[in-house]
Amino acid sequence: MFRTTILRTASLPPVKAAVKNTPLFRPVVTRFIAGDTVEEAIQVAERLADEGFFVTLDQLGENVADVEAATRELESYVRLVDQISQSSRRSQINISIKLTALGLDQGDDVAEANFRRLLAAAQASDTFVRADMEASEYTERTVQMIERVFPDLDNTGTVLQSYLYSCGSHVDRLVRLGSRVRLVKGAYLEPESVAYQSKADVDANYLECAKKLLLRGRYPAIATHDEAVINELLAFAADNGVHPGRFEWQMLYGIRRDLQAKLRDMGHNVRIYVPFGSAWYPYFTRRLAERPANLLFILRSFVK
Ligand code: FDA
């Protein structure tokens, strides 16, 4: 209910304009976003890498308006890959992208051509590129894109969302393919026709899919800040002889830093998802919608 209200309100143009243009929001935005420029993002990534974390950089942007804009996005991602390749910490840093930034709304062929060019550029410097998962209208197309591209360019994988009924069957397909999967609960507003609506159902499906991935997946990423889920999966991995080196935990920049450090100190691989760039509004509103406390934090900033 809270999530629905926040996501619907945030999409209203006057609300969007007010949030983007009010300096008071800035401290809250920078809690979740590493900065506006590639240089700032790489600085944050290198600091996290020095602390023993792995990093995925997300240059924010999604749903471009036309083919030319998709080409510009591609070019800027290729520049990002090049800058990562010059970092002394490059082996700990990879990237995440959204296929709608590479032209998925303009056609599967447009996005695929751009995606292949990006993967080829990234392969030259041994960089992994993950396609984030967007709203459910893109799920099947994204999975099919990975199935088409992976046999030629295997430095890629995607994300599956446990709120979708289809998650389990997509896990099976991608495990068969041998591509890496990041498992998340899902951040978009989805109807009952395609997605579980209660936290209990989403969590139960998360655990079921995560266990499958831990047993049979290729270096899966278990992406959650949910401590109860994490504890159950730690016990499952230990009971089933799944060595910590065979998978990684992933969490978002600025969220549950205590838990990120705890897992790292236990000897687990932990990757931090670090978003940056000026197109931060949709990412920011999805983070606000996940937790009422984030909105209270904003209200407190206003009062102060
Ligand atoms: P849940 O929402 O149940 O939260 C569990 C606990 O985590 C909360 O009680 C709170 O302590 C903490 N928490 C969670 N969100 C918080 C927030 N915003 N602020 C402060 N605390 C918070 N989604 C998607 O649809 N496509 C994608 O490609 C990705 N990619 C992705 C990458 C990575 C690395 C992560 C960690 C997450 C994503 N997501 C995503 C987002 C994901 O779907 C989900 O919305 C969030 O991770 C929140 O869900 P949790 O699993 O943390 O559990």
Side-chain angles (χ1 to χ4, degrees):
M1 177 68 178
F2 171 80
R3 198 154 150 258
T4 312
T5 312
I6 294 297
L7 290 174
R8 288 219 173 107
T9 311
S11 67
L12 300 171
V15 175
K16 212 170 177 171
V19 175
K20 284 176 133 177
N21 301 326
T22 309
L24 270 174
F25 278 106
R26 201 62 204 167
V28 196
V29 172
T30 53
R31 201 181 140 198
F32 298 115
I33 288 141
D36 283 342
T37 66
V38 177
E39 288 71 25
E40 286 170 300
I42 291 201
Q43 226 172 44
V44 169
E46 288 178 342
R47 176 177 52 76
L48 290 168
D50 286 343
E51 291 170 15
F53 294 107
F54 295 86
V55 174
T56 188
L57 286 177
D58 169 27
Q59 183 168 283
L60 292 166
E62 51 200 89
N63 297 100
V64 293
D66 51 40
V67 173
E68 289 71 31
T71 307
R72 283 197 298 277
E73 288 288 324
L74 166 68
E75 285 163 357
S76 93
Y77 269 111
V78 170
R79 279 198 299 278
L80 173 61
V81 164
D82 184 52
Q83 273 167 291
I84 292 172
S85 75
Q86 293 170 38
S87 165
S88 59
R89 290 299 197 173
R90 62 185 169 276
S91 64
Q92 282 161 273
I93 306 173
N94 68 30
I95 66 171
S96 292
I97 58 137
K98 294 200 170 40
L99 290 177
T100 61
L102 293 182
L104 199 57
D105 289 333
Q106 286 66 42
D108 285 24
D109 52 339
V110 175
E112 184 171 335
N114 285 334
F115 192 38
R116 281 179 181 272
R117 281 178 59 195
L118 176 59
L119 291 178
Q123 207 170 43
S125 57
D126 214 11
T127 303
F128 180 82
V129 179
R130 190 177 308 263
D132 281 344
M133 190 56 85
E134 304 179 64
S136 60
E137 63 192 284
Y138 303 109
T139 310
E140 181 57 30
R141 290 168 68 195
T142 301
V143 170
Q144 285 183 16
M145 177 81 78
I146 299 296
E147 288 173 330
R148 282 197 303 278
V149 164
F150 183 81
D152 306 323
L153 295 151
D154 68 358
N155 55 329
T156 192
T158 188
V159 180
L160 295 174
Q161 299 149 320
S162 74
Y163 62 14
L164 295 183
Y165 306 137
S166 62
C167 189
S169 66
H170 281 142
V171 165
D172 293 339
R173 270 165 64 180
L174 294 181
V175 165
R176 260 199 310 277
L177 183 70
S179 76
R180 281 158 62 169
V181 172
R182 174 200 297 150
L183 184 67
V184 300
K185 292 190 186 177
Y188 297 80
L189 206 53
E190 299 291 358
E192 204 174 346
S193 54
V194 298
Y196 295 109
Q197 304 294 310
S198 78
K199 176 170 163 59
D201 286 339
V202 175
D203 289 0
N205 199 32
Y206 192 96
L207 286 169
E208 192 181 320
C209 293
K211 288 174 183 174
K212 243 194 241 182
L213 285 167
L214 286 174
L215 292 178
R216 305 206 310 273
R218 174 176 168 204
Y219 195 66
I222 309 299
T224 181
H225 317 89
D226 189 329
E227 215 165 343
V229 165
I230 291 172
N231 286 337
E232 179 161 344
L233 294 174
L234 279 171
F236 178 84
D239 289 348
N240 289 276
V242 182
H243 187 271
R246 277 177 43 202
F247 66 97
E248 67 184 23
W249 302 99
Q250 291 193 359
M251 294 190 210
L252 301 176
Y253 178 68
I255 298 181
R256 291 300 312 258
R257 274 174 285 207
D258 56 332
L259 201 49
Q260 298 171 5
K262 183 177 152 193
L263 288 166
R264 175 205 56 194
D265 294 345
M266 285 166 66
H268 285 256
N269 296 332
V270 181
R271 189 177 297 276
I272 315 293
Y273 184 105
V274 177
F276 72 96
S278 51
W280 48 263
Y281 188 75
Y283 178 87
F284 176 66
T285 56
R286 288 196 288 273
R287 299 294 78 81
L288 286 190
E290 275 155 6
R291 203 161 170 250
N294 289 337
L295 209 61
L296 289 177
F297 180 77
I298 291 188
L299 294 175
R300 267 205 306 273
S301 310
F302 270 119
V303 172
K304 272 191 208 148

